[in-house]
Amino acid sequence: MLYTGHTISIYSSHITARLLYVLDFCFKSKGVDYNLVQTHEAVKTISINYSHTELDAKVSILPQGILFETEIYPSKEITYEEGKLLIDGVYDPLGLIFYLLTRYESYFSEDLDQHGRLKAENNVLVKFKLNERPVVDEIVKVLWEEIGLNYQPVEAGFKMVPSFDIDVAWAYKQRSFIR
């Protein structure tokens, strides 16, 4: 663990599996424990306020709502303004992380490739020419810096591991007999 013994407090009016998934990705998987609370009076210092309630917190994020839903709705509109991705016109970094990690747009896209997958040109990151950047990690890094955590040890742990995709079993699938 990078931050042994360090726990941040996060307030949210709703606790859902989606919110826990994103917080685990942003903090727990990177060595930071978090305490997610629905009663802000019990916490001395709140690192992140993820609600529409005004609280004294290091970072306040107004939720767009995607993390409080249980269904998949195709009406989510992603736009890119002033260097930020917005969901339905709202900058919700935690909601964006969920949207991008789960490839949310692929669940309702009707324009698929021959294998039933989302076509690359329909991917939101490709549309805004952000597909060659680690967008989710950049969002997490900014969030860490805003609450006063040092992201450098996490960055130092990133490694590029080249691999080769050798699918011998499928080498001749969808190819002519002569080939």
Side-chain angles (χ1 to χ4, degrees):
M1 276 186 135
L2 299 171
Y3 291 91
T4 305
H6 189 82
T7 302
I8 61 169
S9 293
I10 302 167
Y11 171 78
S12 178
S13 53
H14 305 302
I15 297 176
T16 64
R18 289 181 179 190
L19 178 59
L20 292 171
Y21 170 77
V22 170
L23 294 176
D24 283 351
F25 175 81
C26 292
F27 300 108
K28 192 170 278 185
S29 70
K30 293 165 181 49
V32 174
D33 289 326
Y34 64 87
N35 181 24
L36 183 58
V37 296
Q38 283 183 291
T39 308
H40 58 85
E41 292 88 7
V43 181
K44 292 179 187 173
T45 306
I46 297 174
S47 299
I48 299 173
N49 172 19
Y50 189 67
S51 73
H52 292 280
T53 306
E54 275 194 46
L55 297 174
D56 184 28
K58 291 180 181 179
V59 175
S60 289
I61 301 170
L62 297 174
Q64 176 276 338
I66 192 171
L67 295 183
F68 302 146
E69 297 169 351
T70 55
E71 300 295 323
I72 298 171
Y73 298 103
S75 60
K76 304 290 181 223
E77 182 184 1
I78 304 296
T79 54
Y80 188 63
E81 298 174 19
E82 299 177 19
K84 292 183 178 180
L85 288 167
L86 308 175
I87 303 176
D88 296 335
V90 176
Y91 180 66
D92 175 357
L94 298 178
L96 280 169
I97 290 168
F98 177 79
Y99 188 95
L100 296 172
L101 285 180
T102 61
R103 305 273 320 258
Y104 195 92
E105 75 268 33
S106 67
Y107 287 97
F108 53 83
S109 178
E110 294 177 11
D111 188 17
L112 305 173
D113 69 8
Q114 67 183 10
H115 304 289
R117 301 173 301 203
L118 179 72
K119 288 183 179 178
E121 63 264 17
N122 296 332
N123 181 289
V124 70
L125 294 178
V126 172
K127 286 179 184 177
F128 298 117
K129 297 180 178 28
L130 299 171
N131 55 309
E132 293 188 15
R133 291 177 39 197
V135 175
V136 171
D137 290 312
E138 290 172 0
I139 295 169
V140 173
K141 180 181 179 179
V142 168
L143 189 59
W144 274 48
E145 290 170 349
E146 288 177 342
I147 62 176
L149 294 175
N150 180 7
Y151 200 71
Q152 281 186 316
V154 176
E155 286 178 311
F158 288 134
K159 296 179 201 167
M160 182 179 151
V161 181
S163 65
F164 298 94
D165 187 14
I166 303 171
D167 294 332
V168 175
W170 301 103
Y172 301 101
K173 185 174 171 98
Q174 297 180 352
R175 294 189 180 147
S176 68
F177 178 74
I178 296 169
R179 186 168 177 191

